[in-house]
Amino acid sequence: MTEKELLAVACEQFLGKNVQDVKNVVLQTLEGHLRSILGTLTVEQIYQDRDQFAKLVREVAAPDVGRMGIEILSFTIKDVYDKVDYLSSLGKTQIAAVQRDADIGVAEAERDAGIREAECKKEMLDVKFMADTKIADSKRAFELQKAAFTEEVNIKTAEAQLAYELQSAREQQKIRQEEIEIEVVERKKQIEVEEKEVVRMEKELTATVKQPAEAEAYRIQQIAEGEKVKQILLAQAEAEKIRKIGEAEAFVIEAVGMAEAEGLKLKAEALQKYGEAAQLALVLDALPEIAAKVSAPLSKVDEIVILSGEKGSTMSDVNRLLAEIPNSVRAITGVDLTKLPLFQKATEAKE
């Protein structure tokens, strides 16, 4: 021990002795206490509970060695044996029991291990299934969230594009409005210039053209009005002339008509008075004229050839032509020659 008092005691006990002597003193002390403790324990207690045995030795021996200035730091029982194999027999039984318990423990352990392994596999599969499910859910949620983000991005992009296009259209509209306003201002300026130019040209035209033209127009108008009066007077004179000529011609036509009517009246009275002889004379007077009109187209013919299908029928053709004369005379004059007794007698004499 390191305390001064106990160190002094140790010096008193072991001063002048070597290390081996010190070990022998301590060993004999411990062996004595060990034998005394063995007398109080059974063999099974000693064999089965060595730690308790060593503890008892330390507790009993510690005060004695302490009075010699020695401190027991550690005390253990290496082995317990006897010469009649009693302890070994106990060991065999214990070993058999231990072996049995060991086999049972191994079987139970293997059983528990199999059960536990199955449970672990089941738990693993459950965990794997839950993990796969969670992964699928997470993936689905990720895809949905990604789709939502993409849709939101597309919407924002479309809104931004639309806003840009609207803003661009507004700017273009403003620019166009400014251009239109500029064009309107320019057009107004141009119209003002043109109006001033028109006023200037009108004044110039009035000074150079309009006033002389008005004078010339007035002169022409006066000439036209004089010419119109002249033409009216000439037209009135010509109309009066035509009226007078028409009245004279009407009087002449009326006189001629009255004379012709009187002549026809006298001719009708003569025809009625002289009867058939007068009518025949009238017809005979008209025949030369009829023959001349009928033969007028033939005056341009050099030669006339009469063809007949039958031999000796030329006279019959001539007679047929002569037979058609009464019809022609009746058509022209209205006198039927066949009803005149003189013509009937001539026809019967010919037959």
Side-chain angles (χ1 to χ4, degrees):
M1 295 181 180
T2 58
E3 286 84 355
K4 291 181 179 181
E5 294 179 357
L6 296 177
L7 184 59
V9 172
C11 288
E12 290 176 0
Q13 297 292 329
F14 301 110
L15 189 61
K17 295 182 180 180
N18 55 27
V19 176
Q20 186 62 39
D21 293 337
V22 175
K23 288 182 177 180
N24 291 328
V25 172
V26 173
L27 179 60
Q28 289 174 2
T29 302
L30 292 176
E31 285 179 350
H33 289 290
L34 182 63
R35 290 188 182 91
S36 63
I37 291 171
L38 286 174
T40 62
L41 298 176
T42 62
V43 177
E44 288 77 5
Q45 290 177 344
I46 297 170
Y47 186 75
Q48 293 176 358
D49 195 359
R50 296 182 185 183
D51 293 336
Q52 183 65 24
F53 179 40
K55 181 179 178 181
L56 291 174
V57 173
R58 284 195 303 276
E59 290 176 354
V60 174
D64 290 341
V65 297
R67 284 190 290 271
M68 292 183 293
I70 301 298
E71 183 181 5
I72 300 175
L73 298 178
S74 175
F75 180 80
T76 58
I77 304 299
K78 291 183 178 180
D79 191 13
V80 179
Y81 62 90
D82 66 316
K83 297 181 179 179
V84 292
D85 296 332
Y86 179 78
L87 294 176
S88 61
S89 298
L90 292 175
K92 289 179 181 179
T93 304
Q94 188 68 26
I95 290 171
V98 170
Q99 187 67 35
R100 181 198 63 197
D101 294 338
D103 293 338
I104 293 171
V106 169
E108 291 178 351
E110 289 179 354
R111 181 198 65 191
D112 295 339
I115 294 171
R116 185 59 183 166
E117 183 179 3
E119 291 177 353
C120 290
K121 285 183 179 181
K122 181 178 179 300
E123 292 178 357
M124 181 189 68
L125 292 175
D126 293 339
V127 171
K128 184 177 182 301
F129 175 73
M130 292 176 66
D132 293 339
T133 303
K134 290 181 178 180
I135 291 171
D137 292 339
S138 299
K139 186 175 181 181
R140 180 176 61 83
F142 171 74
E143 294 295 334
L144 292 174
Q145 191 67 27
K146 182 179 179 182
F149 289 158
T150 303
E151 182 181 1
E152 185 177 357
V153 169
N154 293 333
I155 292 172
K156 294 297 182 182
T157 303
E159 290 178 353
Q161 183 66 25
L162 182 59
Y164 172 76
E165 292 177 357
L166 290 175
Q167 187 63 29
S168 178
R170 292 192 185 99
E171 296 297 329
Q172 292 295 328
Q173 186 176 5
K174 290 181 180 178
I175 294 171
R176 182 56 184 164
Q177 187 174 359
E178 294 294 332
E179 291 178 352
I180 292 172
E181 290 179 357
I182 293 171
E183 291 177 358
V184 169
V185 173
E186 292 178 353
R187 184 60 180 166
K188 288 180 178 179
K189 296 295 183 181
Q190 185 178 1
I191 291 172
E192 291 177 358
V193 173
E194 290 177 355
E195 288 178 351
K196 292 180 180 179
E197 182 66 19
V198 168
V199 172
R200 186 191 66 79
M201 292 181 66
E202 186 177 357
K203 290 181 179 180
E204 182 180 358
L205 183 62
T206 301
T208 59
V209 178
K210 188 175 180 181
Q211 291 178 353
E214 289 178 352
E216 183 65 21
Y218 179 74
R219 186 180 68 81
I220 293 171
Q221 182 179 4
Q222 295 300 319
I223 294 171
E225 289 180 356
E227 186 67 25
K228 182 176 71 171
V229 172
K230 177 182 177 182
Q231 293 295 329
I232 291 172
L233 294 175
L234 291 174
Q236 290 177 354
E238 185 67 23
E240 185 66 22
K241 176 183 176 182
I242 293 171
R243 188 177 65 80
K244 296 295 185 180
I245 294 171
E247 290 178 354
E249 289 179 353
F251 180 75
V252 171
I253 292 171
E254 184 180 359
V256 172
M258 290 176 66
E260 288 180 355
E262 186 66 24
L264 291 175
K265 180 179 180 182
L266 293 175
K267 189 181 287 187
E269 291 176 356
L271 288 175
Q272 184 177 7
K273 182 177 181 181
Y274 295 103
E276 295 178 357
Q279 293 179 2
L280 179 60
L282 182 59
V283 171
L284 292 175
D285 291 336
L287 284 177
E289 185 180 355
I290 295 171
K293 292 183 179 180
V294 172
S295 62
L298 299 177
S299 63
K300 297 180 182 181
V301 179
D302 296 334
E303 183 180 0
I304 296 175
V305 179
I306 298 175
L307 299 177
S308 180
E310 297 178 359
K311 294 180 179 181
S313 61
T314 302
M315 293 304 296
S316 62
D317 293 334
V318 173
N319 293 329
R320 188 178 68 254
L321 291 173
L322 293 174
E324 294 178 356
I325 291 174
N327 295 328
S328 300
V329 173
R330 184 176 59 186
I332 295 171
T333 64
V335 179
D336 190 2
L337 297 178
T338 58
K339 294 182 178 182
L340 296 176
L342 182 60
F343 186 81
Q344 292 176 358
K345 291 178 182 180
T347 305
E348 289 175 359
K350 184 178 179 182
E351 291 177 355

